[in-house]
Amino acid sequence: MLAIGAAAILGFGAHPASAEASVTLGTTNWRNMAIGVTPSAVGVSVRTTDQGEQVELSDQQHVVVVFGYNGEPYLRIDREGTWVNRRSPEGYINRTTRPQPHVPTRFDAHAAPDWHRISHGHLYRWPDHRAHHTSGTAAKEWRIPITIDGRPAEIVGSLRYVAPHAPTAALMVGVIALGIGVGVVMRWSRRGIVTLAFIVAATAVIQLAAQHQATTSPFLDQLGPTLYALGTFLSAAAVIVATTRVQTGATAPITLLGGVAIAVCGGFARFDWLTHSQVPTALSYAVATSLVTLALVLGGILSGVAVRELRREPQPSK
């Protein structure tokens, strides 16, 4: 049921047109936000997505032209759809999230634009490197030149450092989970083990869905970044199956392995979420870090339950 729910939440719907680069999100202390378009125009909107890695522009009323790194026309959105200049060097550079040092000669900023319609829609995303944080970059206000119906304008954004703060909510959740789990550790309870494992599985589904929602990259491209959430879910599922279906003698070893895997995949692998202010999820910081702490604590509790059971001496036969 949890797996079906995850698939339903994630979905496989088509994304709006975007540049070729696929964005893989990580933790950071830099917040990148689009402020807007100046001067503003009715119907023209802009925002940043994927933790500021992509700029998203939409319009249905005007002819909006975005200019590239060398001042050449790069992107055009009009009533007929979205067009990209195939001669623009920016089109080649934006194929990766890291700027390329060499651009093939067929991409010429001084050549006449070769407009190619890539979508009948009116929304486009691209990883504009003028808005990105690079090594040695300080806080800045970035600008991307555009025209709206031939009139000069700019997309304006802000890149700011946000210092990490103490994950107070996560620590409180961890303490509460630890207290509740003590009762399970003190007494080998199949119902208690299943309950803890089910909670872990549910949080893994939430994390998987929230990580997917935080990015505009295709689902298949996010299998790597979401692998830890998937590993957490599968480990919790193994504990549930072992506790409810497997013979008693094999339950403790599987629970031990599952608990360790949960603590590693759901907790230690995401420990950097507790030390950075920007995390790759659609959840709030308090909720996201609380789920990390919860997986870490519950994974440890399940491991402790299994170790206690394995060390328990067999009862003498009468």
Side-chain angles (χ1 to χ4, degrees), residues 17-318:
S18 61
E20 292 86 348
S22 178
V23 178
T24 300
L25 306 183
T27 56
T28 179
N29 289 323
W30 290 89
R31 179 178 296 167
N32 191 10
M33 299 181 63
I35 298 174
V37 175
T38 179
S40 60
V42 176
V44 180
S45 63
V46 63
R47 66 171 184 146
T48 50
T49 66
D50 301 90
Q51 285 187 293
E53 290 294 320
Q54 301 232 51
V55 178
E56 180 183 282
L57 175 67
S58 64
D59 167 70
Q60 295 186 355
Q61 303 180 30
H62 309 275
V63 177
V64 181
V65 176
V66 178
F67 293 91
Y69 304 129
N70 298 297
E72 79 283 3
Y74 161 60
L75 169 71
R76 188 179 81 216
I77 300 179
D78 57 26
R79 292 178 178 84
E80 297 181 1
T82 301
W83 309 72
V84 169
N85 176 15
R86 291 191 287 193
R87 300 300 302 276
S88 168
E90 180 164 351
Y92 175 82
I93 296 173
N94 288 349
R95 293 182 179 182
T96 64
T97 55
R98 295 183 178 182
Q100 300 298 303
H102 303 291
V103 179
T105 56
R106 68 178 182 275
F107 299 96
D108 185 358
H110 303 289
D114 178 14
W115 293 110
H116 172 66
R117 183 164 59 190
I118 58 172
S119 170
H120 290 280
H122 304 86
L123 184 149
Y124 190 77
R125 303 187 188 103
W126 73 100
D128 201 297
H129 299 297
R130 288 168 289 198
H132 289 170
H133 171 260
T134 56
S135 179
T137 300
K140 65 179 182 180
E141 184 177 89
W142 50 266
R143 298 175 181 271
I144 300 173
I146 65 174
T147 59
I148 303 176
D149 294 332
R151 298 187 301 274
E154 289 180 317
I155 298 173
V156 180
S158 174
L159 179 66
R160 293 289 181 267
Y161 178 82
V162 180
H165 52 276
T168 306
L171 295 176
M172 292 179 61
V173 169
V175 171
I176 294 173
L178 184 61
I180 295 175
V182 167
V184 179
V185 174
M186 297 301 295
R187 183 170 178 267
W188 177 265
S189 169
R190 285 179 175 267
R191 180 177 297 179
I193 293 171
V194 171
T195 300
L196 295 183
F198 187 86
I199 293 173
V200 171
T203 61
V205 170
I206 294 172
Q207 289 177 327
L208 189 65
Q211 282 189 256
H212 177 73
Q213 292 172 356
T215 179
T216 59
S217 294
F219 173 76
L220 292 179
D221 291 349
Q222 293 303 309
L223 289 181
T226 58
L227 191 59
Y228 289 121
L230 183 59
T232 305
F233 173 82
L234 293 177
S235 300
V239 173
I240 294 173
V241 172
T243 306
T244 57
R245 301 287 184 179
V246 181
Q247 293 181 354
T248 304
T251 300
I254 297 176
T255 301
L256 175 59
L257 293 176
V260 171
I262 289 169
V264 171
C265 294
F268 288 112
R270 289 199 177 98
F271 196 79
D272 58 333
W273 287 28
L274 304 177
T275 59
H276 290 77
S277 62
Q278 312 297 307
V279 294
T281 177
L283 300 171
S284 67
Y285 178 81
V287 174
T289 53
S290 294
L291 294 185
V292 171
T293 305
L294 191 63
L296 182 61
V297 172
L298 295 186
I301 290 173
L302 290 172
S303 300
V305 170
V307 170
R308 179 183 175 86
E309 185 66 14
L310 288 171
R311 295 183 61 182
R312 181 179 296 177
E313 294 182 0
Q315 297 294 328
S317 59
K318 295 184 179 179

